[in-house]
C-alpha cells in the first residue's frame, strides 16, 4: 500500500511536466499551413530588418509593440549560433511551446481552484484542444504569448499569496506583446478586491496598476517619439489605438450580439467542412469516425449513468456550496469574459481573439464539474472526459488536420509553387501592395520587388528589356495589371500568369516581356 501511495505521489509531482510535454508534442505534430496572414507579415519584416533591407521601425507595430522585436532578437540569436531557420518557422515552433507553457500554467491554477484532479484534467484538455486555442498555438501570431502572461498574472492574483509586482509585470509584458491584454485589467482589479490573501487592497491595486501601466506608457511614448516623431499625448493615443490593417470596426453591436453564439461555438468546436472535403484524406476520415464513435459512447454513458434532472437541480446549489476561493475565481472570471466578449461585439467574427477568454470559460467549466461531484458525492463517471476526447477528435478531423496540409492555404501553396517560375533574376512590380504580395515575396526570398508607382512606363520598358537580356523575367501584381494602360499591357503581356481565386485577397501575377 505504501509503495502504491509513493508511486501516486510521484506521478502527481511529475504530472504538470507530463501535461506540458504532451501538449507541446501535440502542438508540434499539428503545425498549421493555414497561416493567418499577419504571421507571414511578421516573419517577412523580421527577416528584412535582419538583412538590412528595412528600417528597425518596422519591428514596432502599435498593436503588438514588442512582438516583432522579440522575434527579431530570437531570429538573430539563432543566426549567430549558426542555425539557419526562417523566421516563420521559428515563430511557429516558439508558439507551439509557448502554448504548452500556457496550458501548464492553467493546469496549476485549475488544480488549486477545483481541488479535483479529474475536473482539472478535463478543463485543461478542453482548453488545450478547443479550436481557437489549438489553432493559435500552431500558427504564427502574437496572441498565445500574450495569453501566457495574462495567465501568469491571473494565477498570481488568484493564489494564496498574491504579489503586486509579479502580477503587474506579467500584465505589462502581456500588453506590450499585444494590446488586447489590456482588456484583462478589469478582471485583475476584481481579483484584487475579492482576494482574502490581500489585506490592503487599495494599496495593492495602485501598485499593481502602476507596475503594469508605467512600462507600457513609457515604451509606447518612446517608440512613438523616436520612430514617428509623435510627442503630444492625444497623438500618442491616436497612434496607439489606430488600426493599420484597416479592418472595419462596427459602431453597432447588434450584429456582434447576433453572431455571439455562433462565434463562441466555432471558437470551441472548429470546423471547415469545405476544406475537409478538399483536403481530408483517410487520416482525417478515420479521426472523424473515431469522434463519432466516442460521441455515441458518451451519449450512452450519459443515458445510463447521469441523471440529467438531478444534475440540473444540483447545479442550482452551486453558489451556496462554493468555497470563498472559488467565489473569488467565479467573480473574476465573469468580468474577464465580459470585457473581451463586449469588445468583440464591435470587432467581428474572428475566432482567434476569443482564445483570450478561453481560459476563463475552461476554469468555469472545471469549477462546475468539481462542485457537481462534490455536491452529489458521486465519483466521476468519465462522461466529461469522453466529451472532451470527442470534441478534440472532431477539431482534429474537421479543422486542425486539414489545415496541416501544405495545400490547405491556396495562397501559400501558389506562392511556394511560384518558385518553379521565379528565381533570383525575377523582378515583380507592385501597385498597392496586398497580403498576397507579402506571402509570395516571403516564399520566394530571392525575387526583387519594386513599387510600380515610382517609375514611368518608359522606365518600365527599359527595365523589362534589361532584365530580359540578363535572362530574367518581369511580372506585375494584380493591382498593377488592373491599373496600367490596357494598350501597353496588351503589347507586353505574355501567356505566363499565376492566379489564386481567394475571396479575401485574390492574387494575380502576369509576366510582361519586351515589345516585339
Amino acid at each position: 500500500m505504501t509503495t502504491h501511495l509513493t508511486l501516486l505521489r510521484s506521478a502527481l509531482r511529475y504530472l504538470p511536466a507530463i501535461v506540458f510535454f504532451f501538449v507541446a508534442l501535440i502542438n508540434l505534430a499539428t503545425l498549421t499551413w493555414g497561416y493567418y496572414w499577419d504571421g507571414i507579415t511578421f516573419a517577412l519584416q523580421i527577416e528584412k530588418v535582419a538583412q538590412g533591407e528595412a528600417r528597425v521601425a518596422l519591428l514596432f507595430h502599435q498593436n503588438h509593440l514588442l512582438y516583432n522585436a522579440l522575434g527579431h532578437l530570437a531570429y538573430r540569436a539563432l543566426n549567430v549560433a549558426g542555425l539557419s531557420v526562417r523566421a516563420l518557422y521559428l515563430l511557429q515552433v516558439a508558439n507551439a511551446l509557448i502554448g504548452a507553457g500556457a496550458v501548464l500554467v492553467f493546469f496549476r491554477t485549475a488544480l488549486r481552484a477545483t481541488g479535483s484532479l479529474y475536473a482539472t484534467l478535463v478543463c485543461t484538455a478542453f482548453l488545450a484542444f478547443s479550436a481557437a486555442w489549438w489553432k493559435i498555438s500552431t500558427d504564427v501570431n502574437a496572441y498565445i504569448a500574450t495569453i501566457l502572461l495574462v495567465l501568469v498574472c491571473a494565477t498570481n492574483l488568484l493564489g494564496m499569496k498574491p504579489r503586486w509586482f509579479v502580477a503587474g509585470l506579467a500584465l505589462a509584458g502581456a500588453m506590450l506583446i499585444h494590446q488586447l491584454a489590456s482588456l484583462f485589467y478589469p478582471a485583475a482589479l476584481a481579483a484584487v478586491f475579492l482576494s482574502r490573501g490581500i489585506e490592503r487592497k487599495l494599496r495593492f491595486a495602485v501598485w499593481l496598476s502602476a507596475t503594469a501601466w508605467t512600462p507600457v506608457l513609457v515604451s509606447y511614448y518612446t517608440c512613438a517619439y523616436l520612430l514617428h516623431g509623435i510627442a503630444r499625448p492625444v497623438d500618442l493615443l491616436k497612434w496607439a489605438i489606430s488600426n493599420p490593417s484597416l479592418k472595419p470596426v462596427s459602431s453597432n453591436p447588434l450584429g456582434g450580439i447576433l453572431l455571439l453564439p455562433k462565434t463562441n461555438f466555432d471558437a470551441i468546436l472548429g470546423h471547415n467542412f469545405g476544406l475537409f472535403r478538399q483536403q481530408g484524406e483517410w487520416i482525417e476520415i478515420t479521426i472523424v469516425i473515431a469522434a463519432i464513435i466516442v460521441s455515441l459512447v458518451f451519449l450512452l454513458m450519459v443515458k445510463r449513468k447521469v441523471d440529467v434532472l438531478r444534475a440540473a437541480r444540483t447545479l442550482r446549489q452551486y453558489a451556496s456550496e462554493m468555497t470563498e476561493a472559488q467565489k473569488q475565481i467565479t467573480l473574476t472570471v465573469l468580468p474577464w469574459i465580459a470585457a473581451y466578449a463586449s469588445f468583440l461585439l464591435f470587432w467581428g467574427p474572428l475566432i482567434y481573439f476569443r482564445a483570450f477568454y478561453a481560459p476563463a470559460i475552461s476554469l468555469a467549466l472545471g469549477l462546475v464539474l468539481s462542485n457537481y461531484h462534490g455536491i452529489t458525492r458521486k465519483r466521476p463517471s468519465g462522461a466529461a472526459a469522453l466529451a472532451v476526447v470527442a470534441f478534440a477528435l472532431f477539431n482534429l478531423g474537421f479543422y486542425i488536420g486539414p489545415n496541416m496540409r501544405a495545400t490547405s492555404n491556396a495562397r501559400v501553396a501558389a506562392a511556394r509553387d511560384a518558385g518553379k517560375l521565379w528565381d533570383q533574376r525575377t523582378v515583380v512590380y507592385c501597385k498597392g501592395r496586398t497580403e498576397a504580395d507579402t506571402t509570395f515575396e516571403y516564399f520566394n526570398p530571392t525575387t526583387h520587388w519594386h513599387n510600380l508607382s515610382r517609375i514611368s512606363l518608359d522606365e518600365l520598358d527599359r527595365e523589362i528589356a534589361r532584365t530580359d537580356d540578363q535572362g530574367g523575367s518581369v511580372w506585375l501584381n494584380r493591382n498593377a495589371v488592373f491599373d496600367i494602360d490596357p494598350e501597353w499591357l496588351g503589347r507586353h503581356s505574355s501567356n505566363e500568369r499565376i492566379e489564386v481565386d481567394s475571396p479575401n485577397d485574390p492574387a494575380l501575377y502576369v509576366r510582361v516581356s519586351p515589345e516585339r
Side-chain angles (χ1 to χ4, degrees), residues 165-176:
F165 56 89
V166 174
L169 289 175
L171 185 56
M175 291 190 289
L176 287 171

Side-chain angles (χ1 to χ4, degrees), residues 423-463:
D423 56 24
Q424 68 275 13
R425 291 170 296 185
T426 298
V427 180
V428 184
Y429 281 93
C430 296
K431 184 71 178 291
R433 190 178 180 87
T434 66
E435 297 166 13
D437 298 323
T438 299
T439 302
F440 273 79
E441 182 177 2
Y442 187 80
F443 287 101
N444 297 276
T446 61
T447 55
H448 306 279
W449 293 68
H450 302 295
N451 190 341
L452 180 64
S453 61
R454 294 179 181 175
I455 65 172
S456 66
L457 287 180
D458 289 339
E459 290 175 309
L460 184 58
D461 277 327
R462 290 192 290 272
E463 178 61 30

